[in-house]
């Protein structure tokens, strides 16, 4: 089964990307990603720049509403994602639990949608 695994990081997690702990934080993510690649379960993935670099678009009628920065006022923001191909949800949860942000933010898993399987 294929799952998108989304990593939600706190403001503190994002701040560590550029602070004195940046090297250690980066190393933990590199080790995690390398483990998934070596296990052959990771199909793709990327980290994302901080939430303030994002832009949200909504179309209402014939008008575009564009907002810079995160639309949602939440304590955690999407920091990156990977696509996993694993046997089942339990296997995906095992990989998600190993994410560096699992103990500070959160990790969301969703099976990929396939129109042919509906």
């Amino acid at each position: 089964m294929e799952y998108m695994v989304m990593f939600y990081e706190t403001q503190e997690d994002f701040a560590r990307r550029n602070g004195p702990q940046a090297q250690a934080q980066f190393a933990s993510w590199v080790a995690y990603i390398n483990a998934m690649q070596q296990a052959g379960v990771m199909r793709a993935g990327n980290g994302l720049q901080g939430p303030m670099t994002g832009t949200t678009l909504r179309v209402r009628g014939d008008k575009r509403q564009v907002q810079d920065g995160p639309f949602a006022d939440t304590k955690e923001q999407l920091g990156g994602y990977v696509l996993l191909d694993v046997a089942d949800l339990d296997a995906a949860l095992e990989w998600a639990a190993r994410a560096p942000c699992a103990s500070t933010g959160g990790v969301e898993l969703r099976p990929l949608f396939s129109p042919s399987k509906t």
Side-chain angles (χ1 to χ4, degrees):
M1 294 207 48
E2 293 181 308
Y3 290 89
M4 175 172 265
V5 182
M6 294 163 279
F7 305 111
Y8 290 90
E9 297 180 87
T10 64
Q11 288 180 330
E12 292 80 16
D13 292 332
F14 279 105
R16 278 192 287 277
R17 290 179 174 193
N18 298 313
Q21 299 170 332
Q23 201 168 31
Q25 183 183 21
F26 184 69
S28 68
W29 280 102
V30 168
Y32 175 61
I33 296 299
N34 284 344
M36 289 187 289
Q37 289 174 332
Q38 289 174 0
V41 298
M42 184 176 159
R43 297 292 174 248
N46 273 304
L48 301 173
Q49 292 187 26
M52 296 314 292
T53 65
T55 301
T56 300
L57 168 74
R58 296 178 185 281
V59 177
R60 300 296 181 257
D62 60 351
K63 296 193 182 205
R64 290 183 180 185
Q65 298 173 348
V66 179
Q67 177 180 340
D68 291 332
F71 182 78
D73 185 22
T74 64
K75 294 181 181 184
E76 301 165 351
Q77 296 288 335
L78 184 61
Y81 68 93
V82 296
L83 296 176
L84 293 182
D85 189 357
V86 294
D88 54 31
L89 178 59
D90 288 335
L93 287 168
E94 287 298 319
W95 283 107
R98 294 173 61 179
C101 67
S103 62
T104 58
V107 182
E108 178 181 355
L109 295 90
R110 287 195 205 174
L112 296 187
F113 175 75
S114 175
S116 62
K117 294 181 181 179
T118 60

